[in-house]
């Protein structure tokens, strides 16, 4: 989960109506991090959850940015632990710190540090809402590695969709009424399909892709 550095994060998402009804959570507060709103539907009693934070560091980062990162990381912990209490879940954390420089060496380091967080036979839920754009590509590769060599299942990749509007002060702010947690897992499996598809012609290949997209 890439940690954002934005200031003054405000909660946007609700838990699903199903889990609110099942667990009597009518007064449960809104969630800021999409993955936390999503995972509540899939937690079971006494589950063990391992959270992997991705923190970007840079020599030019000032104390304010570092402080924001830590505050947002704590906000994430507060949210997931609040959810975890509902299920008596055990939650642990690990952090990958990687330089905010885009180069082959850094990509390799980021990949290596992320796959060190993997454990065998796990269900993986990933959030690609925040952080550097290259993180999404690296995360996808780590997930593929996890499936191939750690016998893990990629259960979900989510993204927070938010439309920004101007408030009374003319400041751009997220519109809570239209914010939505999007499940984009199908794009991950589409990438796997298109890289492994076997066909004798482009027409046959695209037909297989269309068949997948209709599932």
């Amino acid at each position: 989960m890439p940690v954002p550095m934005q200031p003054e994060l405000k909660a946007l998402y609700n838990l699903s109506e199903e889990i609110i009804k099942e667990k009597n959570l009518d007064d449960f507060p809104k969630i800021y991090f999409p993955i936390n709103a999503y995972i509540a539907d899939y937690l079971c009693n006494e589950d063990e959850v391992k959270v992997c934070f991705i923190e970007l560091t840079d020599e030019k980062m000032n104390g304010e940015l570092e402080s924001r990162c830590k505050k947002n990381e704590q906000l994430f912990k507060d949210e997931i632990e609040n959810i975890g209490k509902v299920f008596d879940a055990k939650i642990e954390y690990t952090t990958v710190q990687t330089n905010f420089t885009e180069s082959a060496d850094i990509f390799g380091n980021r990949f290596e540090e992320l796959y060190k967080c993997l454990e065998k036979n796990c269900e993986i839920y990933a959030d690609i809402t925040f952080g550097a754009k290259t993180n999404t590509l690296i995360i996808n590769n780590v997930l593929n590695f996890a499936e191939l060599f750690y016998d893990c299942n990629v259960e979900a990749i989510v993204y927070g969709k938010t439309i920004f509007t101007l408030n009374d002060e003319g400041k751009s702010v997220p519109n809570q009424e239209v914010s939505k947690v999007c499940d984009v897992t199908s794009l991950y499996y589409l990438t796997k399909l298109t890289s492994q598809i076997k066909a004798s012609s482009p027409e046959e290949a695209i037909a297989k892709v269309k068949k997948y997209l209709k599932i």
Side-chain angles (χ1 to χ4, degrees), residues 31 142 214:
I31 301 293
V142 172
K214 292 180 180 178

Side-chain angles (χ1 to χ4, degrees), residues 1 10-20 25 28-43 75-76 78-84 87 125-127 129-130 156 158-161 179-183:
M1 216 295 300
K10 297 185 183 299
L12 300 169
Y13 310 103
N14 291 310
L15 300 185
S16 70
E17 293 182 3
E18 291 79 5
I19 199 65
I20 289 174
L25 301 176
F28 203 90
K30 283 181 176 288
I31 301 293
Y32 182 82
F33 293 95
I35 192 67
N36 286 339
Y38 187 94
I39 202 172
D41 281 337
Y42 298 93
L43 275 179
L75 173 59
F76 183 98
D78 291 342
E79 286 186 351
I80 197 169
E81 287 175 11
N82 202 12
I83 293 169
F87 299 90
Y125 296 81
D127 191 324
T129 307
F130 309 103
V158 302
Y159 179 86
K161 174 186 175 183
S179 297
K180 180 181 178 182
V181 178
C182 302
D183 185 339

Side-chain angles (χ1 to χ4, degrees), residues 8-164:
E8 300 179 7
L9 303 186
K10 297 185 183 299
L12 300 169
Y13 310 103
N14 291 310
L15 300 185
S16 70
E17 293 182 3
E18 291 79 5
I19 199 65
I20 289 174
K21 182 177 180 181
E22 178 186 339
K23 297 291 186 178
N24 292 318
L25 301 176
D26 295 302
D27 297 327
F28 203 90
K30 283 181 176 288
I31 301 293
Y32 182 82
F33 293 95
I35 192 67
N36 286 339
Y38 187 94
I39 202 172
D41 281 337
Y42 298 93
L43 275 179
C44 296
N45 288 337
E46 299 184 353
D47 266 352
E48 295 182 2
V49 179
K50 181 177 181 180
V51 178
C52 179
F53 293 118
I54 304 174
E55 290 184 358
L56 296 183
T57 62
D58 191 288
E59 293 178 356
K60 296 181 181 180
M61 282 179 61
N62 58 38
E64 180 185 354
L65 290 178
E66 292 177 353
S67 177
R68 286 183 196 170
C69 185
K70 292 301 180 183
K71 285 181 180 178
N72 294 340
E73 190 174 295
Q74 186 59 52
L75 173 59
F76 183 98
K77 290 180 178 180
D78 291 342
E79 286 186 351
I80 197 169
E81 287 175 11
N82 202 12
I83 293 169
K85 289 177 183 177
V86 177
F87 299 90
D88 293 321
K90 179 183 178 182
I91 303 172
E92 63 175 287
Y93 305 94
T94 184
T95 300
V96 168
Q97 288 192 327
T98 177
N99 200 285
F100 195 4
T101 302
E102 310 298 24
S103 68
D105 288 345
I106 296 299
F107 298 152
N109 172 263
R110 207 174 295 175
F111 177 89
E112 182 178 4
E113 292 303 313
L114 280 174
Y115 88 69
K116 288 179 181 178
C117 298
L118 297 174
E119 296 183 15
K120 285 187 174 291
N121 302 306
C122 289
E123 296 178 350
I124 300 179
Y125 296 81
D127 191 324
I128 59 172
T129 307
F130 309 103
K133 299 298 184 288
T134 51
N135 274 341
T136 299
L137 297 173
I138 294 171
I139 288 171
N140 281 352
N141 280 283
V142 172
L143 297 182
N144 188 49
F145 191 86
E147 285 191 302
L148 289 173
F149 301 106
Y150 282 78
D151 298 319
C152 295
N153 292 321
V154 177
E155 298 293 333
I157 303 172
V158 302
Y159 179 86
K161 174 186 175 183
T162 304
I163 293 177
F164 285 78

Side-chain angles (χ1 to χ4, degrees), residues 8 10 162-175:
E8 300 179 7
K10 297 185 183 299
T162 304
I163 293 177
F164 285 78
T165 56
L166 295 179
N167 62 12
D168 295 338
E169 300 174 354
K171 183 179 179 181
S172 181
V173 294
N175 186 326

